[in-house]
Structures are given as structure tokens and as C-alpha cells.
Amino acid sequence: MTSSMIEQNHDLGAGGETALHWIAGSWLGSGSVDESVNPSNGQVLGTFDVGGLEQAKLAVAAARDVFDNTDWAMTPEVRSRALTEMADRLEARKHEVALMLARENGKRLVETTWEVGSAATMLRHSAASALVHTNGRATSSTPGMLIDSQPVARGVAGIITPWNSPVYLTIRAVGPALAAGCTVVVKMPVQTALTNNLLAQVLAESSTLPAGAVNIFTEPHRGGAVHLVESTDVDVISYTGSTNVGRAIAASCAAALKPALLELGGKTPLVVFEDAGLAVAVPTILTALTLMNGQFCCTGSRILVHRDVADEVRDRLRDAIGAVRLGPAEEPTSELGPVVDQASVERLEKIVADATTYADVIVRGGPVTDGPLEGGAFFRPTLLEVDDSDVPIVQEEVFGPVQVMEVFEDEADAIRRANATEFGLAAAVFTQDRARARRVGHAIQAGGMWLNTWGRLTDEFETTGWKQSGLGMVGPHGVEAFQKIKVYAEGLAGHA
């Protein structure tokens, strides 16, 4: 530890202490402190230590030491037990973590509760994977020769997670990485600094986990993240975030032939055919706008509607969006919470204002500037309509409660429009014709496809982005991203 670092006994919430970084089995701080603000009301929730390059270097050194000098990578039973223990601890503190996350990033409490519960489930899946996906195979293809292979942990995994689902998206990478036998360093965002600290506490409670196998630091800038990407002591990168940053990470990793698992931006089209059941489709489209306050990589930000039902869909959506109830994240009656901060409100307002110069306005949302919600970072939902797909509101990820509608003429036009962006993360098709649903679903260039539904995700199946929406996959094969294969060819005694 350097002289500029501070080590403390630490329990967030006891005496209002500052949230620190979990590195090498200790709570460390730099001495530079900032505040976490509740976007529902603008009030300060607490303070956190501002990390960066120095914390990243210490964390990488700790993770490297555990991987190189302990038997962690060679003991799948121990890793499975540690992951199960983490799941137990996270479930025991589910409400506490979910409440803090709702307060910090503005997602409704029902959504953050689901997120934390799903993270615990992912840890249990990873515990099983530690036992199942670490087995090799063998064959005796010729007399006197035995050939076998073994999956081997890559080493230290650098994990960079965003603020919109920091608990689940962190665990979605940490779980498989630990199952594979890696040690990890996690760079987490300042928007959820207090939640990050609670998550670190939960993982630190595992008595089976070696100190330094998991390290978590929070930083507002990019120095620590860049170190993870560029360090020769980090063997694999997992990043969830914007496509532009993902491209830069991929380019940097390519120079060192370092694997990068990337889940990037999305611009999910929701394709509504003339025979769609609108009683199901329209409420689903509304949910695709409001879930996670529109701050979801799979937000249904594009609505493609067949001309025969365009008027009805437009009218129904106008009424439904106009009736959305905004409110604090902790309020059970809220249907849309705040976006993450005031800077996001300003960014969204500029995007929408620019779009109104070329788009038709169906519902003009915008910042809430008066009334009981004026102290928060609230943005009323917006619906615009365009004829041309080649405009910014269609081509660029907005990351907020903003949708754009396009009208299509036939199946070919729907497919063309759905594929008209660089993104390929997810899409949805609404039609009562199952053959058409599968046919169109096959033609749309996206890794995730929903038919007559939206947003259903499960740990039993993969999540992957096509085109500029990602590289690699998570799910049952997620452990493989953190492994490499070693093949042995052995000549048996008594044979030439």
C-alpha cells in the first residue's frame, strides 16, 4: 500500500462512513471524497472515495498474486462453494442492496429488487458451472497415444460495468470469471458508488474466497479502466457500455491479442404487423419504453408499424404514454422514475429538441421543472415519428424514455427498416402468424429476438449482440470466455 492510501475498518451505514474500495481483502481509500445524490429528489445520500489509476494498479497486483501463487484456479469445488456462499449473502441482503440501488440510479424499487435477485441466481448458475464447465475430454485415437484437453483459466479478468444495472451486470461477469478459475478486478461507476460498496461487502463476507480474488474500485474517469485494458497483468476484459467505448477497448486489446467480451449499445426495433394483438402489443411497447426509465440497452426505442394499423397504434400509444405516472423510485405507484442525473436530463432534452426539427411530435415529453418532482432528474416520456430511417433519432442510442415510430408497407420493408442501424442487440416482432414471426425474426440481424413479447431474459440461454452491439456472449457458455484450452498428447509406455 502506498502512503497516499488509507486503510479502514469499514461498515457502510455505521456512523455515516465514506464508501471505500475493496482491494486485496481490505477497505482502501485515496482521501479524495465526493457525494452520491438521489436523482428522485436531489438529496445527498452519502459520500464515497474517488478511485482511479492507483486503485486499479493495487487491485491488479492483488488479483495477479492470488492467481499466480494460490491453488484457486485448480480447485473448482472451492470456487463453487465460494460462489454459493456469495449467493446466500446477496439474497440475505437483497432488500438493502435493492433499496440503495433504487435511491442511487433512480430505477423503481420493484426493478432493483428483481435485479439483485437475478444476480443471486446468476451466482448459483456460476457455482454449478465451476463444476461442470471445467471438465476436459480425452480420446485414444491411435494405439499407444492418449490425447486429452483441459479448460484453463485465462488469469486476471478486468471487468468494467455501467451504472444502469451495476449489480447484475457485475455479477454476470464476476460469476463466470470466478467459476472459470480467474481472479477479478472490477471497475464500477460513481453514479452507484454506495451500491458498489454494498455489493463489495456482500462478496467480502464469503469465508471461502481468498483475499484479493475479487477486487472492486469506483472511479469517475477512465484512468483505472484504461489500466485494466492495457496492463499485461490482465488477461481478459469484460465490458458493458457504449459502442464507441467498446470499439476503443477492442482496438487496444487487439494490439496485445487480449480477449474482450463486449456487450454494447442497442436500438431495439419493435415490429408490429397488421394482425398483431394490440391489446398485448401496445402495453408491451409502453413497458419497453418505461422499464429502467428507458436506460436499458434493450429499451424498445423504435416502433415499426404496418400502415394498416398505424393510426390505431399511434392513438393508443399517445394515450398510454401521456398517462404514465412519474414518481420517486421508492414510491410503489410510480410507473417511471428519474433518469440517473441532471446531466442526462439535459442531454435527453437536447436530443429531443434537435429531433423535433425533422420529426413529427406525437407526445412531447421533457424535463420536469415544477411541482413536487422538480428537485429530481425526471424526464417525461416522448414519442416522435419519422419517415426516413437515416436520421439521428433512429440511428443513435438515446438511453432514456424516448421512442420513435416508423410506418412500413410490407414484410420486406419492415425487415429493411429493422436492419437499418449499426446495432444488433435485440428486436421484437408482434404478429399472430407464427410462421411470419419466425421468418421475420430470422431475417432481423439481432442476437436476441422476442416474439409477441419483449424483455424476457433467462440465465439458461445466451445473451449476445450482433453487428456493433457486441462481441462474445454471456449465459451457459459465458464461462468459456474466461478460459483457454490446453491439449496434451501422451505416448503410453510400451508403444512406439
Side-chain angles (χ1 to χ4, degrees), residues 214-225:
V214 174
N215 307 272
I216 297 177
F217 71 97
T218 296
E219 77 165 345
H221 305 300
R222 57 192 296 268

Side-chain angles (χ1 to χ4, degrees), residues 17 30 34 41 103 215 371 437 443 482 490:
E17 294 180 0
S30 65
D34 203 347
N41 54 29
R103 288 173 175 172
N215 307 272
F482 299 98
E490 179 181 1

Side-chain angles (χ1 to χ4, degrees), residues 209-493:
L209 188 72
V214 174
N215 307 272
I216 297 177
F217 71 97
T218 296
E219 77 165 345
H221 305 300
R222 57 192 296 268
V226 170
H227 180 69
L228 297 186
V229 173
E230 296 181 348
S231 173
T232 56
D233 282 327
V234 176
D235 302 286
V236 57
I237 292 292
S238 172
Y239 169 77
T240 304
S242 74
T243 293
N244 287 338
V245 173
R247 289 192 189 106
I249 289 174
S252 181
C253 287
L257 298 182
K258 182 185 297 187
L261 177 65
L262 308 173
E263 185 186 311
L264 308 177
K267 197 71 180 179
T268 299
L270 312 176
V271 183
V272 184
F273 282 96
E274 71 278 8
D275 64 341
L278 297 186
V280 171
V282 171
T284 303
I285 291 169
L286 183 66
T287 299
L289 170 67
T290 59
L291 188 76
M292 293 171 59
N293 308 327
Q295 299 168 133
F296 179 29
C297 54
C298 294
T299 290
S301 54
R302 300 180 62 203
I303 311 165
L304 310 183
V305 187
H306 191 277
R307 186 168 297 281
D308 288 354
V309 291
D311 289 343
E312 184 176 359
V313 170
R314 187 184 298 110
D315 290 343
R316 286 191 184 213
L317 284 175
R318 179 187 292 111
D319 293 342
I321 291 173
V324 169
R325 186 184 299 111
L326 278 67
E330 295 176 61
E331 174 56 54
T333 61
S334 298
E335 296 172 334
L336 182 70
V339 294
V340 70
D341 53 28
Q342 287 293 342
S344 291
V345 172
E346 295 169 9
R347 179 184 59 82
L348 290 170
E349 176 61 12
K350 183 178 187 309
I351 290 171
V352 171
D354 290 346
T356 59
T357 64
Y358 56 81
D360 294 329
V361 178
I362 302 174
V363 179
R364 176 59 164 101
V368 175
T369 57
D370 55 19
L373 302 180
E374 66 175 324
F378 289 91
F379 193 90
R380 294 188 180 89
T382 295
L383 179 61
L384 307 171
E385 184 172 351
V386 298
D387 294 324
D388 184 3
S389 298
D390 192 22
V391 291
I393 198 65
V394 173
Q395 295 297 322
E396 299 171 4
E397 188 173 33
V398 174
F399 225 63
V402 177
Q403 286 179 322
V404 58
M405 178 173 160
E406 300 172 61
V407 176
F408 66 85
E409 301 294 337
D410 53 26
E411 187 174 307
D413 189 28
I415 293 168
R416 179 186 64 79
R417 288 177 179 271
N419 290 334
T421 74
E422 68 177 3
F423 299 108
L425 188 58
V429 176
F430 296 87
T431 176
Q432 297 182 45
D433 183 338
R434 292 188 66 190
R436 176 162 64 182
R438 287 282 174 170
R439 185 171 62 246
V440 173
H442 181 75
I444 293 177
Q445 298 163 0
M449 182 60 56
W450 292 297
L451 306 180
N452 295 310
T453 188
W454 170 87
R456 301 299 180 94
L457 300 171
T458 174
D459 295 330
E460 285 79 12
F461 287 86
E462 290 75 20
T463 301
T464 182
W466 290 15
K467 301 198 293 186
Q468 298 295 303
S469 285
L471 191 63
M473 64 181 68
V474 296
H477 293 284
V479 172
E480 297 172 12
F482 299 98
Q483 294 173 326
K484 49 192 175 183
I485 300 295
K486 179 169 285 191
V487 178
Y488 294 86
E490 179 181 1
L492 302 179

Side-chain angles (χ1 to χ4, degrees), residues 14 33 182:
V33 175
C182 293

Side-chain angles (χ1 to χ4, degrees), residues 2-140:
T2 66
S3 59
S4 63
M5 298 295 291
I6 303 167
E7 182 174 355
Q8 296 178 208
N9 293 323
H10 184 64
D11 181 15
L12 182 67
E17 294 180 0
T18 296
L20 303 176
H21 317 282
W22 179 246
I23 299 173
S26 298
W27 296 106
L28 304 180
S30 65
S32 176
V33 175
D34 203 347
E35 294 177 335
S36 181
V37 175
N38 187 336
S40 288
N41 54 29
Q43 296 178 0
V44 174
L45 291 164
T47 59
F48 63 91
D49 190 87
V50 178
L53 177 59
E54 188 172 7
Q55 288 68 40
K57 289 180 176 179
L58 289 168
V60 169
R64 186 81 257 166
D65 181 60
V66 173
F67 186 81
D68 289 344
N69 299 310
T70 75
D71 59 1
W72 171 255
M74 304 299 292
T75 51
E77 295 85 358
V78 172
R79 301 198 301 273
S80 179
R81 188 161 62 249
L83 286 159
T84 299
E85 202 175 357
M86 291 177 194
D88 292 341
R89 299 291 190 272
L90 187 55
E91 286 173 342
R93 299 182 70 176
K94 179 171 72 171
H95 179 71
E96 179 186 6
V97 177
L99 183 59
M100 181 60 78
L101 180 55
R103 288 173 175 172
E104 277 200 297
N105 84 346
K107 283 198 307 192
R108 295 184 302 137
L109 184 58
V110 65
E111 296 169 356
T112 60
T113 301
W114 173 88
E115 176 180 337
V116 177
S118 296
T121 300
M122 173 58 77
L123 285 169
R124 297 197 187 282
H125 275 274
S126 298
S129 294
L131 302 177
V132 174
H133 290 281
T134 53
N135 298 322
R137 59 192 182 93
T139 184
S140 181

